[in-house]
Amino acid sequence: MEIRQAEINDAVMILNYLNIVGGQTDNLLFGAEGLEITVSEEETIIAAIQQSLKSCMLIAIDEDKVVGIGNILENRRKRISHHVRLAISVDKRYWGKGVSQSLMNGLISFAKEKHVEIISLEVFEDNIRARKLYEKYGFEEIGYFKNYAKINGEYKHAVLMNLYLNKDEN
Ligand SMILES: CC(C)(COP(=O)(O)OP(=O)(O)OC[C@H]1O[C@@H](n2cnc3c(N)ncnc32)[C@H](O)[C@@H]1OP(=O)(O)O)[C@@H](O)C(=O)NCCC(=O)NCCS
């Protein structure tokens, strides 16, 4: 398995992956419909990430297919640009095989290299697997977002988590 930065040419396989993973879990912000964007829109997103100083998209590849994606997205407003947002997903057939660890290690190393101070994320309250993963990497709960998502009319609550990378300095 290979972990690398997404390139513009990867847009088609990334969209295919997102359709698959969206249909496998209710824990993402989209379902089997995927992101409902065109290949050219996905190419634009990848290009924007490549050009942004503190953003990155890592893809895990096995047998020429994307099996996991992890993103770090920068906050462009200057006063909150010391923190970034993290998102991760792995194809269900690859859960429990270390793909999430490889992606998390890559994302956190990237953030440290860019002198990011805080990585933040939202995770559905009942997504125990993801919450355990984040806790393992030192993320701490900083809040609760009631009615964060609405799936087929049903609300899902989220836990807000932060990883403080410069803890010793505080
Ligand atoms: C969250 C996700 C990326 C984790 O990837 P994964 O390959 O399943 O990760 P792991 O197998 O390392 O499991 C993560 C941790 O969950 C815990 N875990 C594993 N199986 C579990 C289970 N059946 N029940 C509860 N916790 C479990 C363990 O603590 C594990 O870490 P450890 O075994 O090293 O102690 C993956 O499950 C996924 O893509 N889910 C759907 C999308 C998603 O939820 N993304 C996050 C949105 S915020």
Side-chain angles (χ1 to χ4, degrees), residues 17 21 24-29 67-69 86-92 94-101 103-104 121-124 127-137 159:
Y17 163 80
V21 83
Q24 291 175 337
T25 172
D26 266 344
N27 286 325
L28 293 170
L29 302 183
V67 298
I69 298 189
L86 180 145
I88 186 169
S89 66
V90 172
D91 184 319
K92 201 165 189 170
Y94 286 80
W95 287 9
K97 294 179 191 286
V99 180
S100 62
Q101 276 96 331
L103 289 169
M104 288 296 283
L121 58 85
E122 300 89 37
V123 54
F124 291 161
N127 190 356
I128 302 303
R129 202 173 174 110
R131 286 175 64 177
K132 291 230 172 105
L133 174 74
Y134 301 140
E135 274 164 21
K136 204 163 68 184
Y137 281 87
V159 173

Side-chain angles (χ1 to χ4, degrees), residues 153-169:
E154 296 273 317
Y155 289 112
K156 283 256 211 184
H157 316 305
V159 173
L160 314 181
M161 300 184 88
N162 277 0
L163 175 64
Y164 289 86
L165 294 172
N166 60 348
K167 222 166 189 174
D168 299 341
E169 294 161 27

